[in-house]
Amino acid sequence: MNEAEWRQTYGVSGSENLPLVTIIAINWNYATYLLTALRSAVAQDYPRLEIIVLDNGSQDDSPSLIKAFVEQHPQVRFIQLMRNIGQFGAAHHILTQHRVAGDFASFLDTDDFLFPHFISHHIRAHLLLNNGADVSTGDTLQIDQNGTIVAGNMPHWWKEPAADRPGWVETRVSTHHDTPRQLSLTLIPPSQRRWFWHPGTSIVYRRQKIERLMQAIRDPIEVKFALDASAAPFCHTEGGSIMLNEPLSGYRIHGRNSSVTAPQLQHLDSGRASFVKGNKRQERWFRKNFRKQRTA
Amino acid sequence: MDRSDFFIQNRGESALAHPGAIQLPLVSFVLTGEPDDDFAQVIEAVRKQSYPRFEAILVDASATASSHAALERQIAGDHRFQIVSVDTDPGPFGRAFLGLAAAEGEFITFLDATELPLPNFAAIHIQTHLASRHSVAFTASPFFTARPERDGPSSPLSEPSAAWPQPGTPVLRLACIDDSAFADLASRVALIEPTRQGWTTSSDAAKMYRRFILDLLDPQAVAATEQPSSASTHYAPLCQMLGGSASIAIPLSSPRPTALPEPTASREAGSRTAIDERNTLRVWAANGSDFVRRIGSQRYWNGLALLLVGPQPGQSEMPGPAQIAARADGLLPLLSSAFGERQAIHQLDERLPRPAVLAVLKEQYGGRLPLHVQIALRTTVLRRMREAVRQYLRARKARGRKRRAMRG
């Protein structure tokens, strides 16, 4: 699909270049699911894409699978690390040591995958709303190791009918078609402090903002730290977030997730106890980094 | 022509991922019956399901060469059906449990040979599981009868949930459920919170459970010596307390006309007995440390208290201290092993009348309570004060957060 066709299909008028989007796939020993993830990245129907695959020192077949994939898809760049520096560490490495040209960046965990219209729907929302949000998130299917769908969405505290959501705006935005289509979105104000985003793969960040986060980090990044745990709240602080209510990706639960052990239900938490502890530890680390920066 | 089994916003599975990357869940029908029951009609009813991914496990409780041959004839080489044979009938729950062990589906429905699912049974249940705003532990639908729908807490079928998606909402839609059937479903689903008790004991509903939750609730794993009456009496109340449910006010199965007299009731479901109550309590207590992490301390202990003080089967009044103590027989060691004895005593003392707590403790320790138990009881007041201060501070913090959010 070229840019004009994309604008026509998705109802976004204009003649300037569409923003470039970088998909950064970070892999560590996910040879089993890797190709599904990479195929989903190259299958995106968005016309201006940059795709980077980083292997985090995998000890399984991943490196050879990626090399073969890159040979077939020369538009994909491959960065191979010799040891695992964690997901957050890998994101930091790419954004500080390599050229990332995208105006927006999406981080694809290689056990998950994206629907072909994932990037298009996120970028369409950013372009149509033009509200300065630096981060957007979309709902996701929960799938198992065989690709079987085990839940149609993710549970969240804000999905309770009585949940207190101060300042949240359910909005409708029209596409620019001759017969406009109404898109339903939720805008979440920067004052919202509780975690409300869908899992990491379902998030798109504005690159400049996430680069500011990476530049601010001074302390070593622990291998277990998750990118979204710090990046989503950081990118949310000024422009708030855009929430797309449609499932746009698949979140895989396979027994090796750091966060969960089984499908997540609204009233039954399948999260790992270690994940909660790790999150608190990361939060302390994150605050310390920014205290240092302010002091400097 | 798009032959997709499901869609999201009019995009079929082939437009969502490369072939084989995603698929609908497998539904396992576990078909049980009394020895010598005829499975022919239920096999035929399952075979007609419009839902594309299912299997059926037939539990032959009176396995003989001739019964096996008869079932093989009825299955007629359909690879979706398999037979589990057992020489000695293990009873209704044992049969269901055997079938469950052989089942591979992510979703499980237990059916008696007398209960015939309508062709859209699995489709409607899975659609409800996958499109509900809240993913729940199980879904339930009534049997098709001439009786009007029941009112009251045992059957909250008259309260469709406003939170359930309408036809235009971007959710996963099964291809075998058209727009009008989806709209009909949307107006007849009620999401039932885990704290709502009682309705799961209703015996006139067929249920579809999430498999991984059933695996958390194995009564044999906690050395229950007495068998539950049926799969439904054991699993449904526990699943409800753990993950909530969705009630579908559409009759989706019918008992075989000759099987049961009116009023219609499921033979598989039966009604809960005192043994069922004890098994439920033991499973709840033995898995305490796991369940607390999954549902939080408040919900866990409130659930336990409700199980202890709820009306006895067949009675409407709250039980007295002696009855509560009898019901809690053997529970304290399980709770102590999960949480420590002092914590278990404190939590019970918070929620049960003091005479009932004393009766439970005397049942365990005899007439003279050990010193450490007496100390645990006497420090309850201090704990309450500490909890009140904690709650106050938490509320103050929340108010501050809200004020800051409003200013922002």
Side-chain angles (χ1 to χ4, degrees):
Chain A
M1 202 183 288
N2 64 33
E3 294 197 32
E5 287 166 345
W6 187 88
R7 285 186 178 279
Q8 177 60 32
T9 304
Y10 285 98
V12 182
S13 60
S15 54
E16 67 277 24
N17 281 348
L18 288 171
L20 181 69
V21 178
T22 305
I23 298 177
I24 301 170
I26 297 175
N27 175 70
W28 181 58
N29 289 339
Y30 279 143
T32 317
Y33 314 116
L34 174 64
L35 288 181
T36 299
L38 297 184
R39 282 177 188 151
S40 80
V42 297
Q44 292 298 304
D45 62 7
Y46 188 74
R48 292 205 68 215
L49 273 183
E50 172 184 59
I51 302 172
I52 302 171
V53 186
L54 177 140
D55 185 71
N56 225 337
S58 294
Q59 286 157 343
D60 61 4
D61 294 339
S62 297
S64 55
L65 286 173
I66 298 173
K67 277 175 193 157
F69 188 85
V70 170
E71 275 174 24
Q72 289 170 357
H73 300 88
Q75 76 273 33
V76 179
R77 268 160 64 197
F78 179 27
I79 299 169
Q80 186 172 13
L81 301 182
M82 288 302 115
R83 67 180 180 91
N84 177 23
I85 56 173
Q87 187 215 21
F88 199 149
H92 182 263
H93 173 84
I94 291 180
L95 286 164
T96 55
Q97 310 291 319
H98 295 266
R99 201 180 69 83
V100 174
D103 302 293
F104 290 89
S106 149
F107 294 85
L108 167 61
D109 295 330
T110 50
D111 51 342
D112 303 335
F113 67 89
L114 310 171
F115 292 162
H117 49 290
F118 173 88
I119 296 291
S120 292
H121 277 222
H122 278 265
I123 298 305
R124 176 175 64 172
H126 281 281
L127 293 178
L128 290 174
L129 282 163
N130 196 21
N131 67 344
D134 293 314
V135 54
S136 53
T137 183
D139 213 328
T140 179
L141 301 181
Q142 297 184 55
I143 55 172
D144 73 4
Q145 62 268 39
N146 302 314
T148 303
I149 299 163
V150 289
N153 55 26
M154 289 298 289
H156 275 287
W157 59 269
W158 52 264
K159 289 190 175 180
E160 293 294 335
D164 187 21
R165 303 187 295 170
W168 288 40
V169 180
E170 309 280 336
T171 189
R172 297 183 82 81
V173 58
S174 296
T175 59
H176 301 156
H177 284 118
D178 293 340
T179 316
R181 233 183 94 208
Q182 293 275 300
L183 302 177
S184 169
L185 305 157
T186 306
L187 307 183
I188 298 136
S191 54
Q192 178 65 56
R193 290 286 182 262
R194 268 180 91 178
W195 182 270
F196 60 87
W197 297 272
H198 295 292
T201 290
S202 71
I203 302 175
V204 171
Y205 304 96
R206 208 178 283 273
R207 197 250 307 163
Q208 278 188 338
K209 184 77 178 180
I210 200 166
E211 266 186 1
R212 270 171 55 197
L213 165 71
M214 297 304 174
Q215 283 155 7
I217 290 168
R218 296 285 175 270
D219 286 350
I221 302 168
E222 283 190 25
V223 170
K224 287 197 170 170
F225 285 176
L227 173 69
D228 55 340
S230 299
F234 178 84
C235 293
H236 174 76
T237 46
E238 288 172 15
S241 298
I242 300 171
M243 175 94 73
L244 308 166
N245 298 321
E246 181 181 346
L248 292 169
S249 55
Y251 174 67
R252 198 184 302 271
I253 291 153
H254 47 67
R256 275 180 54 211
N257 308 76
S258 60
S259 54
V260 293
T261 54
Q264 290 276 59
L265 310 187
Q266 185 70 20
H267 302 293
L268 183 72
D269 185 2
S270 300
R272 291 185 194 276
S274 57
F275 183 68
V276 179
K277 275 188 199 158
N279 257 348
K280 285 186 178 154
R281 191 179 161 83
Q282 184 172 344
E283 213 176 304
R284 285 196 296 274
W285 165 86
F286 180 67
R287 281 207 213 105
K288 202 171 104 192
N289 260 288
F290 279 84
R291 252 201 318 274
K292 270 188 186 173
Q293 195 196 23
R294 276 201 297 272
T295 314
Chain B
M1 187 180 156
D2 193 337
R3 291 179 176 277
S4 294
D5 291 333
F6 64 93
F7 298 83
I8 297 174
Q9 291 285 73
N10 299 322
R11 290 173 195 260
E13 61 194 276
S14 55
L16 293 172
H18 72 83
I22 42 174
Q23 61 182 346
L24 287 174
L26 179 69
V27 170
S28 295
F29 286 99
V30 174
L31 308 177
T32 61
E34 295 296 329
D36 302 326
D37 264 351
D38 180 7
F39 282 87
Q41 287 191 55
V42 75
I43 289 172
E44 211 40 49
V46 169
R47 215 195 294 272
K48 285 181 184 159
Q49 291 297 301
S50 58
Y51 184 73
R53 277 199 82 210
F54 68 85
E55 64 167 10
I57 317 294
L58 288 111
V59 183
D60 179 10
S62 56
T64 60
S66 63
S67 72
H68 194 86
L71 284 176
E72 289 282 9
R73 266 198 311 280
Q74 286 160 353
I75 289 171
D78 189 334
H79 68 278
R80 296 170 301 182
F81 289 76
Q82 63 165 300
I83 302 167
V84 172
S85 300
V86 53
D87 298 334
T88 316
D89 179 19
F93 183 81
R95 295 193 290 259
F97 200 70
L98 275 174
L100 179 63
E104 293 187 348
E106 290 79 24
F107 291 89
I108 307 281
T109 285
F110 299 100
L111 287 178
D112 186 280
T114 59
E115 296 162 7
L116 310 180
L118 300 188
N120 59 348
F121 178 94
I124 293 278
H125 276 265
I126 288 293
Q127 181 67 87
T128 305
H129 269 292
L130 297 184
S132 286
R133 182 174 170 85
H134 297 171
S135 294
V136 293
F138 73 94
T139 49
S141 62
F143 292 99
F144 188 79
T145 70
R147 282 186 307 150
E149 287 165 2
R150 284 187 180 182
D151 294 325
S154 68
S155 182
L157 304 179
S158 53
E159 305 164 21
S161 171
W164 220 78
Q166 297 304 303
T169 317
V171 293
L172 186 148
R173 293 274 308 273
L174 298 185
C176 54
I177 294 181
D178 63 21
D179 280 352
S180 72
F182 189 85
D184 185 41
L185 177 62
S187 67
R188 289 165 181 259
V189 175
L191 293 173
I192 317 292
E193 299 283 309
T195 46
R196 179 151 181 177
Q197 299 291 307
W199 85 279
T200 55
T201 55
S202 165
S203 60
D204 55 359
K207 299 165 181 103
M208 186 180 283
Y209 303 91
R210 283 183 179 274
R211 168 64 186 260
F212 86 90
I213 301 188
L214 300 189
D215 290 339
L216 302 174
L217 303 173
D218 179 359
Q220 294 175 13
V222 294
T225 48
E226 303 151 311
Q227 210 179 59
S229 321
S230 71
S232 185
T233 54
H234 179 70
Y235 289 125
L238 286 164
C239 284
Q240 172 65 20
M241 289 167 73
L242 279 180
S245 58
S247 162
I248 306 164
I250 305 173
L252 293 173
S253 43
S254 58
R256 202 159 46 185
T258 54
L260 294 169
E262 289 288 335
T264 309
S266 161
R267 202 171 67 180
E268 190 279 329
S271 57
R272 275 169 75 74
T273 63
I275 293 172
D276 291 322
E277 302 284 346
R278 265 202 301 279
N279 277 325
T280 304
L281 271 163
R282 278 172 187 239
V283 169
W284 195 254
N287 291 291
S289 48
D290 182 33
F291 290 177
V292 155
R293 196 171 58 74
R294 290 171 183 272
I295 66 173
S297 180
Q298 284 294 329
R299 256 178 68 197
Y300 176 81
W301 288 103
N302 289 346
L304 183 83
L306 260 171
L307 289 172
L308 280 169
V309 303
Q312 293 273 12
Q315 294 175 13
S316 57
E317 285 178 16
M318 186 176 151
Q323 287 168 303
I324 292 175
R327 213 184 267 194
D329 182 29
L331 218 58
L332 202 58
L334 293 173
L335 292 170
S336 299
S337 133
F339 302 101
E341 188 182 61
R342 200 165 58 170
Q343 163 84 341
I345 292 172
H346 281 150
Q347 294 288 358
L348 290 175
D349 200 29
E350 284 291 325
R351 290 164 175 85
L352 301 182
R354 180 54 77 85
V357 178
L358 287 173
V360 170
L361 292 172
K362 282 180 179 162
E363 187 77 29
Q364 179 68 28
Y365 296 106
R368 192 175 173 78
L369 296 180
L371 187 60
H372 65 275
V373 173
Q374 292 186 37
I375 291 171
L377 281 173
R378 285 182 185 159
T379 51
T380 299
V381 178
L382 284 174
R383 281 177 58 88
R384 277 188 192 143
M385 282 171 62
R386 197 180 68 178
E387 183 59 21
V389 170
R390 202 171 68 90
Q391 294 286 349
Y392 169 75
L393 291 174
R394 184 188 278 184
R396 206 173 70 159
K397 200 171 163 189
R399 278 200 300 275
R401 219 171 22 231
K402 202 168 171 181
R403 264 201 304 275
R404 281 196 300 277
M406 296 293 274
R407 277 204 299 270

